[in-house]
Amino acid sequence: MEIINIAIVIAYLIAMLAFGWWGKSRTKNSSDYLVAGRRLGPFLYTGTMAAVVLGGASTVGGVGLGYKFGVSGAWLVIAIGIGVLLLSLLFAPRLQRLKIFTVSQMLTLRYGSKNATNASAIVMLAYTLMLCATSTGAYATIFVVLFDWERWLAIAVGGVIVLVYSTIGGMWSITLADQVQFVIKTIGVFALMLPFALSAAGGFDGISAGIPERAREAFFSWGGIGAQTIITYFVVYTLGLLIGQDIWQRVFTAKTPKVARWGGSTAGIYCVLYGVAGALIGMSARVALPGIDIENLGKDVIYAEVAMNLLPVVVGGIVLAAAVAAMMSTASGALIAAATVARNDVTPFVAGWFGKKIEVNSGRNPEHDVAANRYWVLGLGVVAIILAIVVDDVVAALTIAYDILVGGLLVSILGGLLWKRGNGVGAALSMAAGTIVTLTTMIVLEVESDEKFGGVYANEPIYYGLLCSLVVYLVVSLLTPATRPEVSRHWADRVSGRVDVEGIPADQQ
């Protein structure tokens, strides 16, 4: 049984490398490498969007939450799905028409000032790099169980596989790999894991009967996990998804604004259903596999326990491959996002300190542009693997980056899309104020907390950062001159699709 499951996972990993070479044949310029040529239709776009947002936390973590808290364990993934829905319905068509590569380029176009974008690029790079490192460490846990490897070796091998197919073909390879991962996750969770787990538990009646009466009400309550936790999921994941570079970069791959809106909306609905399915699988496991010591082993072991003990041989291998697929899709998406921000935004910014001007992805030499992007993906991929191996708590670093992303940058980014009076001075000071307040609150709470990273994992830093950022953005924008008319006109032309400047960075247009 174990050998067959291992063989299925190995076959999947080999297939991912093959898709890297396939994607290479479709990569001719930077647009192909970074945003799949902006040519994805509804099917490919929906699959790749769902794949990038549904990682290990959604798949393995969602099942574990269902085991521990019952139906309310679905809220984590539901919050992610709602974030995708809001992004797709409210902003995706406009973002697709901009024909850019990064969030910072959108800020430059909107405000006409690099002061409002340089800080965002640094934060976005930290966020995407830590997200990649976290995902790299996560799928290594599956390899440790399957192959009995040391953790560092599992991270290195898994990381190299993602690094190879991402580097070779860029977004085309990642899109093709994501599509396979999307199919595997769909089959593994909905068609195999859910029905087998429900059957093992005796159906919904069996679950109800198997839960002690004193815990039954909370187990079947949508508020069982706690209102504060549910709010946290929406603040961190829903708001974070609205502005994350890894998610926006998938929006840029859509062929048309219509694909970006409705393909993304379909992915959001899929995520909500995925969250409910994961919670039901965990609830079934609570009855079919009682007594698992999740306090010591952690709730994430439930997914593997279901795969190894409740499913037939081949089915168990497919389900384990689905878990690896979920984690790899998030890692590869974060990796190319980090490389895109590093080359397009951070490098020119840092070069400016030394009086140098660097031109990137100009389109004048497509082969050079693609090669340079490959070097960035390769280099940052190596950094992410090393971080996943040597850093004890990458999640803490990711949490800090996520808090700054939401607490510091959300207002300026969404304000630029929603409020015409917002200007570059207001955006720059808003980012600075939100970031400083978020970090300061985090440090104060850390000092006062009795637990390690107690301040890092608290909710207050985001709340205070958001409030301060909003106040500064509104007040400063109203007290200072509006954005220059020529900048506003160019922005309006780009958003409406009247001007199509393909792939040229905002500061070179």
Side-chain angles (χ1 to χ4, degrees):
M1 177 179 178
E2 186 175 348
I3 292 175
I4 294 174
N5 287 340
I6 290 174
I8 292 173
V9 173
I10 291 176
Y12 161 76
L13 296 176
I14 293 173
M16 292 303 99
L17 295 175
F19 278 109
W21 288 106
W22 186 7
K24 183 177 184 292
S25 65
R26 310 190 68 167
T27 302
K28 308 299 182 185
N29 52 45
S30 287
S31 180
D32 290 333
Y33 192 87
L34 299 178
V35 288
R38 309 186 196 275
R39 298 199 299 272
L40 298 192
F43 181 70
L44 282 176
Y45 181 81
T46 299
T48 194
M49 180 60 82
V52 74
V53 298
L54 294 175
S58 305
T59 305
V60 176
V63 171
L65 288 172
Y67 186 94
K68 185 174 183 179
F69 297 104
V71 68
S72 63
W75 279 115
L76 168 65
V77 188
I78 290 175
I80 292 173
I82 291 177
V84 176
L85 270 171
L86 291 175
L87 175 65
S88 302
L89 293 173
L90 300 179
F91 306 116
R94 275 182 284 173
L95 298 177
Q96 190 277 340
R97 283 191 288 263
L98 289 174
K99 297 295 188 291
I100 55 177
F101 292 135
T102 69
V103 175
S104 294
Q105 288 175 2
M106 168 262 163
L107 292 170
T108 300
L109 284 171
R110 170 61 181 82
Y111 295 117
S113 169
K114 297 295 289 184
N115 292 331
T117 63
N118 292 332
S120 70
I122 300 294
V123 173
M124 206 65 74
L125 176 59
Y127 158 70
T128 50
L129 189 59
M130 289 304 168
L131 179 60
C132 181
T134 303
S135 301
T136 300
Y139 58 67
T141 59
I142 302 293
F143 295 161
V144 169
V145 173
L146 279 179
F147 306 118
D148 195 27
W149 288 344
E150 293 290 332
R151 178 178 174 273
W152 71 267
L153 179 60
I155 291 174
V157 172
V160 166
I161 291 171
V162 171
L163 183 58
V164 168
Y165 79 72
S166 299
T167 301
I168 291 173
M171 187 61 83
W172 267 120
S173 295
I174 292 171
T175 297
L176 296 171
D178 278 354
Q179 204 59 34
V180 175
Q181 291 161 352
F182 173 69
V183 172
I184 292 175
K185 285 192 287 191
T186 301
I187 294 173
V189 171
F190 288 101
L192 299 176
M193 207 171 185
L194 180 58
F196 274 105
L198 275 174
S199 176
F204 292 104
D205 292 337
I207 296 175
S208 180
I211 300 299
E213 186 175 352
R214 64 181 182 277
R216 192 175 300 154
E217 182 178 353
F219 201 69
F220 286 93
S221 169
W222 282 99
I225 199 170
Q228 184 61 45
T229 300
I230 295 171
I231 292 172
T232 299
Y233 288 157
F234 278 91
V235 170
V236 174
Y237 294 105
T238 303
L239 297 182
L241 278 165
L242 293 178
I243 59 173
Q245 169 67 27
D246 52 326
I247 311 303
W248 276 35
Q249 199 157 338
R250 299 310 171 100
V251 173
F252 301 150
T253 66
K255 187 175 183 179
T256 65
K258 187 176 180 180
V259 169
R261 168 173 285 158
W262 300 115
S265 297
T266 302
I269 294 170
Y270 175 90
C271 292
V272 172
L273 296 175
Y274 196 88
V276 175
L280 289 175
I281 292 167
M283 294 169 68
S284 301
R286 178 76 170 266
V287 174
L289 298 171
I292 297 177
D293 186 9
I294 59 173
E295 296 302 325
N296 292 317
L297 298 176
K299 64 182 184 303
D300 291 347
V301 303
I302 303 302
Y303 187 97
E305 290 289 340
V306 171
M308 302 296 288
N309 297 309
L310 296 184
L311 306 182
V313 178
V314 175
V315 174
I318 295 174
V319 165
L320 289 173
V324 177
M327 299 167 190
M328 282 189 165
S329 59
T330 301
S332 59
L335 174 57
I336 195 168
T340 304
V341 171
R343 183 168 187 238
N344 286 270
D345 300 326
V346 177
T347 300
F349 171 44
V350 174
W353 298 348
F354 305 97
K356 296 181 179 180
K357 184 176 181 180
I358 296 179
E359 193 173 278
V360 296
N361 292 323
S362 65
R364 298 185 182 92
N365 189 336
E367 291 184 3
H368 172 77
D369 286 340
V370 171
N373 285 318
R374 284 198 177 107
Y375 289 136
W376 275 104
V377 172
L378 179 63
L380 289 176
V382 172
V383 172
I385 292 171
I386 294 173
L387 282 174
I389 292 174
V390 303
V391 177
D392 291 333
D393 202 326
V394 179
V395 176
L398 175 62
T399 302
I400 294 172
Y402 230 125
D403 282 5
I404 297 174
L405 181 71
V406 176
L409 307 188
L410 179 79
V411 171
S412 296
I413 294 172
L414 295 190
L417 293 170
L418 296 172
W419 192 37
K420 292 182 179 180
R421 187 59 180 80
N423 62 23
V425 178
L429 293 179
S430 170
M431 289 180 188
T435 300
I436 291 171
V437 170
T438 299
L439 287 174
T440 302
T441 306
M442 203 177 293
I443 293 170
V444 171
L445 292 176
E446 184 68 30
V447 172
E448 295 177 350
S449 176
D450 295 330
E451 299 179 4
K452 184 180 181 181
F453 299 128
V456 172
Y457 295 130
N459 297 325
E460 287 86 349
I462 292 182
Y463 299 152
Y464 293 145
L466 272 174
L467 179 60
C468 182
S469 179
L470 178 61
V471 171
V472 170
Y473 183 71
L474 294 174
V475 172
V476 174
S477 292
L478 290 172
L479 294 178
T480 53
T483 303
R484 299 191 309 274
E486 63 272 19
V487 173
S488 297
R489 283 195 299 270
H490 183 58
W491 167 259
D493 288 340
R494 291 291 291 270
V495 168
S496 65
R498 290 191 294 270
V499 175
D500 185 356
V501 185
E502 171 58 45
I504 298 178
D507 60 346
Q508 296 178 22
Q509 295 168 16

